[in-house]
Amino acid sequence: GAVVSQHPSRVICKSGTSVKIECRSLDFQATTMFWYRQFPKQSLMLMATSNEGSKATYEQGVEKDKFLINHASLTLSTLTVTSAHPEDSSFYICSANGGTGELFFGEGSRLTVL
Amino acid sequence: GENVEQHPSTLSVQEGDSAVIKCTYSDSASNYFPWYKQELGKRPQLIIDIRSNVGEKKDQRIAVTLNKTAKHFSLHITETQPEDSAVYFCAASLSGGGADGLTFGKGTHLIIQP
């Protein structure tokens, strides 16, 4: 199947700093990628849809100025958590459509804000 | 928007027995229903999916059934094995998993007792 790679897998930062997470489709082009957030022992919550060459579409309740999404190429989307706070600590996962309708997920990035 | 309910939240079965997880969805326009298996700290892995033009799909020990009228779908795992222990998520999508992100159920923690 298609491969989606996410980096970094783990990141620890101080409160008030910004963190960037990258999501890459390695063997296919993805005009659309999705960013999810998962708290411990909970489900995946869709945060936003990343669209190549245009603005991301955010789900209700997700602050677009807090979670900056850039989809500058057909193989790369980035999520930047700005001015991170401890409540932003979570598991962030991206996904992309591999062209067959199936969504492939990245490995996930565990963010810990101290 | 779409709302997906999943039951039970925890399911414990004896090794070799069958396990059934049930989901309901709210939007009759949804047409793609995948099931994901997620091990602790790892990415969700697609195990089986079904589209609205099909009532049942089977892949070895795993099967999924869909009742469009009642808007519910179920995952059936037969002859359960210890490696089946994980969290399972159902999901629904309006556009076949392509253009839209998935709406996930809350997950079922499946425990296989030896």
Side-chain angles (χ1 to χ4, degrees), chain A residues 51-93:
Chain A
N51 305 298
E52 188 270 335
S54 64
K55 292 182 179 180
T57 305
Y58 290 82
E59 295 299 302
Q60 189 173 9
V62 178
E63 300 175 59
K64 61 181 181 180
D65 294 330
K66 173 76 172 177
F67 299 99
L68 299 179
I69 291 173
N70 184 280
H71 197 150
S73 77
L74 287 170
T75 59
L76 174 65
S77 174
T78 61
L79 168 68
T80 300
V81 183
T82 62
S83 186
H85 291 285
E87 57 266 31
D88 297 324
S89 298
S90 187
F91 194 50
Y92 294 88
I93 312 178

Side-chain angles (χ1 to χ4, degrees), chain B residues 13-29:
Chain B
V13 301
Q14 290 291 325
E15 181 179 352
D17 289 349
S18 296
V20 180
I21 303 171
K22 299 181 179 182
C23 287
T24 61
Y25 60 99
S26 61
D27 193 333
S28 56

Side-chain angles (χ1 to χ4, degrees), chain B residues 67-81:
Chain B
N67 183 326
K68 288 169 53 181
T69 303
K71 288 188 285 187
H72 68 68
F73 55 113
S74 300
L75 176 71
H76 303 252
I77 305 175
T78 59
E79 301 173 25
T80 53
Q81 301 169 3

Side-chain angles (χ1 to χ4, degrees), chain A residues 3-6 22-26 28 33 75-77 94:
Chain A
V3 178
V4 176
S5 178
Q6 198 170 331
E22 295 185 346
C23 179
R24 295 180 184 274
S25 55
L26 297 185
F28 66 101
M33 291 185 178
T75 59
L76 174 65
S77 174
C94 68

Side-chain angles (χ1 to χ4, degrees), chain A residues 4 32 34 36 38 42-44 46 91 93 97 100-103 105-107 110, chain B residues 32 36 38 41-44 46 51 89 96-102 104-106:
Chain A
V4 176
T32 304
F34 306 95
Y36 292 85
Q38 185 176 34
Q42 293 190 25
S43 189
L44 295 93
L46 180 64
F91 194 50
I93 312 178
N97 179 2
T100 60
E102 177 181 347
L103 283 181
F105 285 85
E107 304 95 325
R110 185 163 302 283
Chain B
Y32 177 64
Y36 288 86
Q38 187 180 29
K42 296 187 177 181
R43 77 182 91 190
L46 179 72
R51 297 185 185 274
F89 293 98
D100 295 330
L102 295 167
F104 284 87
K106 292 189 182 298

Side-chain angles (χ1 to χ4, degrees), chain B residues 19-22 27 29 39-40 47 54 74 80 87 91 94 99 113-114:
Chain B
V20 180
I21 303 171
K22 299 181 179 182
D27 193 333
E39 297 178 0
L40 189 63
I47 56 171
V54 176
S74 300
T80 53
V87 179
L94 280 171
Q113 303 278 6

